[in-house]
Amino acid sequence: MTVRSRLLAGFGAAIAIVLLPALFAANRLAELQGLAVEGRARHAEALVSLGAMRASLADLDRFARSYVATGDEALAREAEGALETVLREHDRLSGPPYTASAEALTPFLSEMTTTAAAITEAMASGRVDAATELFLGLDRTLDRTDPALSAVADSIGAVARRDLQRTETLSASSRQETLLGMVLALLVAIGVATWASGALTNPLRHLGRAMARVADGDFEPSEDLPANRRDEIGDLTRSFLVMSERLADLDRLKAEFIGVASHELKTPINAIHGYAELIQEEFGDVAPEEYGRMVDGIAEQARVMARLVDRLMDLSRLETGAYRVQLETVFIQDLVTGVLRAFEILARQRSVTLDATVEPGTPETLVMDLDLIRDEVLGNLVSNALRYTQAGGRVLLSVGPADGGASFTVTDSGPGIPDEERDLVFRKYYRGSSEAPGTGLGLAIARETVLLHGGRIALLEQPAEGGASFRVTLPSDPREAARAEGAIH
């Protein structure tokens, strides 16, 4: 599946999951609306029918009374029409949910129908007294019908309240179910989105870390790179692995070239230095002073080139793993004393205070290559600190305990290192923005030496009083780390 397809699938699933509660809520709202409309129409129709029955019963009483009093046939027809209206509206009320209360009216309506027919027959035969007596019976029936009509009205109200309660219950249930569905859908959508984003960000994060290691000069590929993926990220990873492999080959060839070139340069440089010394010995007394200065310059530059070649050879051997360390047990106090003695004259010449402290709890001894640690690591850091510290400043070498070993911190009161250069100081040939002389190899050699001993070297945060602070952490015995890393042979 490509990255595009994975993203589309994830987004589509998230949208579908979020839509489900919305569709459920819309369905419940439609159901509630149907109940409300149906109940309102049913109750309204029942109330209209009940009102029509009441009005028609009143008309029946009025027309029947007038008919008995006057004998007008038109009034008789009006009374019959009113009774028909009552019966018709009663039929409308007889259906559910008012069947029981409507059936209570049936006996009264039957009695009214019979009495009305008898009144019509008595008036037609001229028996006014009998019709009057029948009308009085009809009137009593109408009086008994009124409580039954009130019962029907109460029944309509009860049904309306029941429907309202049902609607409220359904509404509350729908609200809870919708909220629960929304929460579950949101959680599932978050899970799907997390899966989709993780499927992209996790391999990119691994790839980013691998790129950072390559930028730091470590070309060994990681095992967690997503090279087996069949999408754009897999293609990018495979291209990166090919690139890092070629960079590793180029770096190895460069190191070999530097090693061979440095070795080959030593012979002509030594020859130049030897000839310069021979000229000084043979013709130093008789040669003009100007020629003597030239020969001294040639000899000095030959020595500079020899030192540069030596450092290039050391760095090449360290990077290729060809350097054979000579491990021995070294007393830390002796190591610190040796570093101070090596630089005390230079510190006095620069009017810089050079101090050292050993904290309580520091191990008495460490296993190391004394020459490498003293000269290429601590010596390099102290030399740089003295170089960048102005007269009247201070350089401090402090030693303290660390997990399984000891830490050496070199702090100076110089101008410090700009923020934009802090990540570059350990790169080969990098000299920063300063005007101080140097090849830019010192810290690179120090870093390789510390790594060879299974330790760490870092530029610490800028001290509050200014300056720079480097810390070297070394294990008590690098052979343990060497067996794990395969760094020391």
Side-chain angles (χ1 to χ4, degrees):
M1 181 182 290
T2 64
V3 173
R4 177 185 176 86
S5 301
R6 193 183 299 271
L7 286 174
L8 290 177
F11 290 150
I15 292 173
I17 291 169
V18 173
L19 281 178
L20 287 177
L23 294 175
F24 173 78
N27 181 60
R28 280 307 184 98
L29 286 175
E31 184 178 354
L32 287 172
Q33 182 181 10
L35 287 174
V37 172
E38 179 185 356
R40 182 176 60 185
R42 185 172 63 246
H43 302 324
E45 183 179 355
L47 290 173
V48 169
S49 296
L50 183 62
M53 286 182 65
R54 287 184 179 277
S56 297
L57 288 173
D59 290 342
L60 174 63
D61 179 62
R62 179 165 53 85
F63 290 135
R65 185 187 302 274
S66 299
Y67 173 56
V68 171
T70 62
D72 188 354
E73 293 296 332
L75 294 173
R77 289 192 295 274
E78 292 290 343
E80 290 177 1
L83 183 58
E84 290 176 359
T85 300
V86 170
L87 295 175
R88 185 172 60 252
E89 297 299 331
H90 177 262
D91 290 339
R92 291 182 180 178
L93 280 174
S94 298
Y98 315 110
T99 303
S101 58
E103 286 179 353
L105 293 172
T106 302
F108 299 107
L109 297 181
S110 298
E111 186 177 347
M112 290 179 192
T113 302
T114 302
T115 303
I119 291 173
T120 302
E121 182 182 356
M123 290 297 294
S125 60
R127 293 182 288 114
V128 177
D129 293 338
T132 302
E133 187 65 28
L134 289 171
F135 171 76
L136 294 176
L138 176 63
D139 195 46
R140 289 191 295 270
T141 301
L142 289 173
D143 291 339
R144 295 199 309 274
T145 305
D146 192 65
L149 291 173
S150 298
V152 173
D154 293 339
S155 176
I156 294 173
V159 172
R161 287 190 296 272
R162 186 184 63 199
D163 288 348
L164 177 61
Q165 184 178 5
R166 179 187 173 192
T167 303
E168 291 176 348
T169 303
L170 183 60
S171 175
S173 174
S174 299
R175 183 167 58 250
Q176 293 177 354
E177 292 173 356
T178 301
L179 289 176
L180 180 61
M182 287 295 293
V183 171
L184 292 177
L186 185 61
L187 292 176
V188 175
I190 291 174
V192 172
T194 302
W195 168 80
S197 62
L200 299 178
T201 58
N202 288 337
L204 290 176
R205 190 180 301 113
H206 295 320
L207 191 58
R209 286 197 294 264
M211 289 180 177
R213 287 195 296 271
V214 168
D216 290 335
D218 181 7
F219 302 106
E220 187 68 23
S222 275
E223 296 181 356
D224 57 359
L225 290 180
N228 296 326
R229 290 174 63 117
R230 300 301 177 187
D231 56 11
E232 295 87 342
I233 294 179
D235 295 339
L236 178 62
T237 302
R238 288 186 288 274
S239 299
F240 168 75
L241 289 175
V242 172
M243 179 197 71
S244 61
E245 183 179 356
R246 292 181 179 177
L247 287 175
D249 292 339
L250 289 174
D251 192 67
R252 184 172 57 255
L253 291 174
K254 180 193 68 176
E256 292 176 357
F257 170 77
I258 291 176
V260 171
S262 301
H263 179 75
E264 295 298 327
L265 285 173
K266 287 183 70 68
T267 299
I269 290 174
N270 289 334
I272 293 172
H273 187 266
Y275 283 127
E277 289 183 345
L278 181 60
I279 291 174
Q280 287 175 330
E281 292 176 1
E282 293 293 334
F283 304 102
D285 296 335
V286 298
E289 182 179 353
E290 183 179 353
Y291 289 176
R293 287 197 301 272
M294 292 179 182
V295 173
D296 290 340
I298 292 173
E300 177 61 27
Q301 292 304 313
R303 285 192 294 271
V304 171
M305 290 184 67
R307 285 197 300 271
L308 176 58
V309 168
D310 288 339
R311 297 186 75 82
L312 286 172
M313 291 183 67
D314 290 341
L315 181 59
S316 177
R317 287 196 295 266
L318 288 169
E319 289 182 331
T320 58
Y323 196 99
R324 308 285 177 170
V325 296
Q326 303 297 323
L327 296 178
E328 58 180 304
T329 301
V330 177
F331 284 91
I332 290 181
Q333 187 61 58
D334 293 343
L335 173 62
V336 172
T337 302
V339 173
L340 291 180
R341 287 177 179 173
F343 290 96
E344 60 183 357
I345 296 177
L346 179 60
R348 267 199 308 270
Q349 290 175 349
R350 292 181 174 272
S351 300
V352 175
T353 302
L354 177 61
D355 289 328
T357 61
V358 178
E359 299 177 6
T362 302
E364 291 186 2
T365 62
L366 292 179
V367 176
M368 65 176 70
D369 186 313
L370 176 60
D371 293 336
L372 278 179
I373 297 299
R374 181 188 59 207
D375 300 333
E376 301 298 346
V377 181
L378 298 180
N380 208 310
L381 294 176
V382 173
S383 175
N384 285 344
L386 291 173
R387 180 185 306 165
Y388 290 102
T389 302
Q390 302 296 326
R394 185 188 185 202
V395 173
L396 174 64
L397 169 61
S398 58
V399 188
D403 293 337
S407 64
F408 300 80
T409 306
V410 178
T411 304
D412 63 63
S413 58
I417 299 174
D419 292 339
E420 63 273 12
E421 297 181 10
R422 294 178 65 84
D423 295 333
L424 308 173
V425 293
F426 292 107
R427 291 191 179 181
K428 292 177 290 187
Y429 313 113
Y430 186 78
R431 297 176 54 193
S433 58
S434 67
E435 298 294 332
T439 60
L441 294 174
L443 289 178
I445 293 176
R447 177 177 180 273
E448 295 296 330
T449 302
V450 171
L451 293 177
L452 193 63
H453 281 75
R456 303 184 303 276
I457 183 171
L459 172 61
L460 303 183
E461 292 295 328
Q462 193 88 0
E465 62 275 10
S469 183
F470 288 85
R471 175 168 295 167
V472 175
T473 304
L474 296 176
S476 58
D477 190 343
R479 286 171 292 201
E480 297 297 329
R483 279 191 285 271
E485 299 292 336
I488 300 179
H489 305 279

